[in-house]
Amino acid sequence: AAVKLLRDRVVAAEVIVSIDPLNSKDDSSPQFTMELAGNESENVPKCYSLDMFKDITPMCAFSQTNNGKVSVEGKVVNKFDMKPHNESIKEYGKLCRERTNKYMTKPRQLQMIDNERHMRPMPGMGIISSIPKDKKKATPVKGTDTKRTRRDRGEMEDIMFKLMERKPNWTLRQLIQETNQPEQFLKDILKDLCVYNNKGANQGTYELKPEYKKSND
């Protein structure tokens, strides 16, 4: 028996059901094959085997007319898996490779820009400089801590105690400006003499450790 499948009122494929009349066993099942009627692509296989399964999720088929009316056409009771016939395996493999190459290749797109404002660099984009390398090297560099001369360790500790007597809380930047000492050198002294306030009203400042406050008093 043959069943024709229509698409837009045109025969798109033909399903052939084959039954062996000499096989009277209960477990015998009909064989299904499908042949495409159209010639959409030379690499698309025309003949397929259909494997039928009954253990599927319940589904229904619906139809909709041009005026939006929806109707229930029936209940789906079987599922068919399509597999190209052995003679069409090579054509099907070629088709799969063509599809893979098509989706892996990103086509380039060209677009004409009429407005010159689009040519301006957006925020965060790098700008290529045309300044010669020798002129770039002559750019003045900000002063660093290497220009500051370290005082004697004991002398600096005495200065720190006097500053803390004058004002109990200091920021690191204030102490660098007040003492004109390298930043890392000051940090080493502050680590021994002071505590850093991470929160509270004096957040971000240094003050003497409690034991030095007592001895200072």
Side-chain angles (χ1 to χ4, degrees):
V3 178
K4 295 182 179 181
L5 304 180
L6 303 181
R7 184 176 63 184
D8 297 332
R9 298 184 180 181
V10 178
V11 177
E14 187 177 47
V15 177
I16 301 174
V17 184
S18 303
I19 299 176
D20 186 1
L22 300 179
N23 192 347
S24 59
K25 295 182 179 180
D26 296 335
D27 58 352
S28 63
S29 59
Q31 302 297 318
F32 297 88
T33 58
M34 185 178 72
E35 296 182 2
L36 298 181
N39 189 19
E40 299 178 357
S41 173
E42 59 180 4
N43 294 328
V44 176
K46 301 299 184 297
C47 299
Y48 297 86
S49 299
L50 301 180
D51 296 331
M52 185 177 67
F53 300 91
K54 295 184 178 181
D55 186 15
I56 62 173
T57 303
M59 292 182 291
C60 294
F62 297 85
S63 64
Q64 184 176 7
T65 60
N66 294 332
N67 56 7
K69 185 179 179 181
V70 179
S71 302
V72 179
E73 297 296 335
K75 182 179 180 182
V76 179
V77 294
N78 295 324
K79 182 185 74 170
F80 292 90
D81 288 346
M82 297 173 55
K83 182 177 66 175
H85 278 184
N86 293 333
E87 61 270 15
S88 303
I89 288 296
K90 291 184 178 180
E91 295 180 356
Y92 185 69
K94 185 178 180 180
L95 175 63
C96 292
R97 288 191 296 272
E98 290 178 353
R99 288 176 178 174
T100 302
N101 295 333
K102 178 181 178 181
Y103 288 105
M104 289 181 63
T105 305
K106 186 177 181 180
R108 294 184 177 181
Q109 296 181 354
L110 299 179
Q111 182 179 1
M112 297 298 297
I113 301 177
D114 298 329
N115 196 334
E116 62 178 4
R117 288 180 299 177
H118 292 292
M119 300 301 293
R120 297 176 182 176
M122 298 297 291
M125 294 177 60
I127 301 176
I128 300 176
S129 175
S130 59
I131 301 176
K133 292 183 178 180
D134 54 348
K135 291 187 177 181
K136 289 183 179 180
K137 294 180 180 179
T139 303
V141 180
K142 294 182 179 180
T144 61
D145 288 340
T146 56
K147 293 183 179 181
R148 297 188 175 98
T149 304
R150 290 189 180 187
R151 292 175 179 264
D152 179 75
R153 173 82 182 202
E155 182 183 2
M156 270 307 303
E157 289 181 357
D158 292 337
I159 294 175
M160 292 297 297
F161 281 120
K162 291 179 181 179
L163 290 175
M164 291 299 175
E165 287 178 3
R166 194 174 79 188
K167 188 172 70 170
N169 295 92
W170 294 80
T171 64
L172 178 61
R173 189 54 52 195
Q174 290 173 342
L175 292 172
I176 293 175
Q177 294 175 356
E178 193 74 18
T179 61
N180 194 30
Q181 291 297 293
E183 181 175 344
Q184 189 57 47
F185 179 53
L186 268 181
K187 284 184 176 180
D188 294 338
I189 297 177
L190 291 171
K191 184 179 180 181
D192 295 334
L193 304 180
C194 301
V195 292
Y196 182 76
N197 296 308
N198 291 316
K199 56 185 178 179
N202 299 319
Q203 183 178 2
T205 63
Y206 290 87
E207 65 181 66
L208 284 176
K209 292 181 178 180
E211 56 268 30
Y212 290 117
K213 286 184 179 180
K214 293 179 182 179
S215 62
N216 209 20
D217 293 339

